[in-house]
Amino acid sequence: MRLRSILLKAIVPLFFFASCKDAPKDTTTAAPKKVTVKKDSLPQKSEKEAEPEFVLTEDNAIDFFFNYSKTLTENTVRITTDFGQITIELFDNVPYHKANFIYLTKKGYFKNTYFHRVVKDFIIQGGNADNAETGKKRSDIGRYLLPPDTDKGHRHHRGTVSMPSSAIDNPHMLASPYEFFIVVTSPGSYHLDGEYTAFGKVVEGMDVVDEINAQPVDEGDWPSRNIYITDAEVIR
């Protein structure tokens, strides 16, 4: 009996110790740890990301295009329309207008605009549209005009690409930078010389120009159906 009592006294503490060691921890009531994040460790907007997009204005456009023209090696733009492609070669000695046309082309401005004015046996005029997309593009690029540059010897022969003056009160014939027209008249419309800036010529696709000029129009020379410029790209 004495030996049994001694053995029981020795075994019970060992059983209790083993049970306590192997029992799983109860995590159902454990409170979640609070994680403190330092403010400096959060992602911060870089200074570059915070800068506003560049917008052209009356104050900066001339300087911008003067400098932009110095970087250009390209001088040819291809316009794709509902009726085919028109390839335009830009004159090097009309730097502001050339630079403006290439800049707008690279910005994707002309895509989904229209040839919105068709005057029979005279001109087709493009670069505008009555859709929200075009209005937004103009707003994003900026509001500005270009000075005339009519004394470089370029005449308004058939196929000449020129820039219309702005519709606003404009005694100095400042050019509307978003639009252009192509002369259809043979051999040309020379009464426009000295009034509008010729800045390029059609080198391929005058048959497309003629087909556009042959389309029916409503009052105000607006084509009866939209004639889209589906794409424009600088090709060389």
Side-chain angles (χ1 to χ4, degrees):
M1 292 293 293
R2 186 179 178 186
L3 178 60
R4 184 181 178 185
S5 176
I6 292 171
L7 289 173
L8 288 173
K9 288 180 180 179
I11 292 172
V12 169
L14 288 173
F15 180 79
F16 179 77
F17 178 77
S19 299
C20 290
K21 184 177 180 181
D22 295 338
K25 293 181 180 179
D26 183 4
T27 58
T28 58
T29 58
K33 290 184 179 179
K34 182 178 181 181
V35 179
T36 303
V37 180
K38 292 182 179 179
K39 185 177 181 181
D40 293 343
S41 69
L42 296 173
Q44 301 294 317
K45 182 179 285 188
S46 68
E47 291 184 4
K48 184 176 181 180
E49 290 175 330
E51 292 177 357
E53 291 290 330
F54 175 73
V55 176
L56 286 163
T57 67
E58 293 289 349
D59 295 328
N60 66 23
I62 298 303
D63 287 341
F64 173 79
F65 286 120
F66 176 76
N67 292 317
Y68 187 73
S69 66
K70 294 179 179 179
T71 70
L72 295 178
T73 57
E74 309 102 323
N75 71 344
T76 307
V77 172
R78 178 183 293 141
I79 293 172
T80 302
T81 78
D82 292 339
F83 296 93
Q85 294 181 326
I86 303 167
T87 303
I88 297 169
E89 183 180 287
L90 305 174
F91 301 142
D92 290 329
N93 65 345
V94 191
Y96 298 117
H97 297 70
K98 172 187 172 182
N100 173 77
F101 199 72
I102 290 179
Y103 180 73
L104 293 181
T105 299
K106 289 185 174 182
K107 295 286 282 186
Y109 169 74
F110 293 112
K111 187 173 183 178
N112 292 328
T113 58
Y114 311 148
F115 277 102
H116 58 278
R117 184 169 178 244
V118 171
V119 185
K120 299 300 180 183
D121 301 318
F122 179 38
I123 64 165
I124 62 172
Q125 185 169 330
N128 204 347
D130 57 356
N131 53 42
E133 178 188 2
T134 299
K136 184 178 186 310
K137 286 180 183 178
R138 289 193 181 206
S139 177
D140 289 345
I141 294 170
R143 293 175 57 87
Y144 62 100
L145 299 173
L146 293 177
D149 196 357
T150 60
D151 58 353
K152 298 299 176 61
H154 302 299
R155 304 199 66 192
H156 284 79
H157 302 298
R158 171 175 162 82
T160 293
V161 183
S162 191
M163 194 167 288
S165 61
S166 172
I168 65 172
D169 184 16
N170 190 10
H172 300 293
M173 299 295 287
L174 298 178
S176 175
Y178 292 105
E179 300 180 28
F180 63 95
F181 66 86
I182 301 173
V183 177
V184 178
T185 316
S186 182
S189 291
Y190 302 117
H191 66 287
L192 302 176
D193 295 349
E195 298 292 327
Y196 302 92
T197 300
F199 65 93
K201 63 181 179 180
V202 175
V203 293
E204 292 179 23
M206 271 306 294
D207 57 328
V208 176
V209 174
D210 289 336
E211 189 170 0
I212 292 172
N213 189 249
Q215 298 308 302
V217 297
D218 298 331
E219 293 182 11
D221 302 317
W222 189 277
S224 300
R225 70 177 185 87
N226 292 334
I227 301 173
Y228 280 93
I229 296 174
T230 56
D231 199 9
E233 57 183 330
V234 179
I235 58 172
R236 59 180 178 266

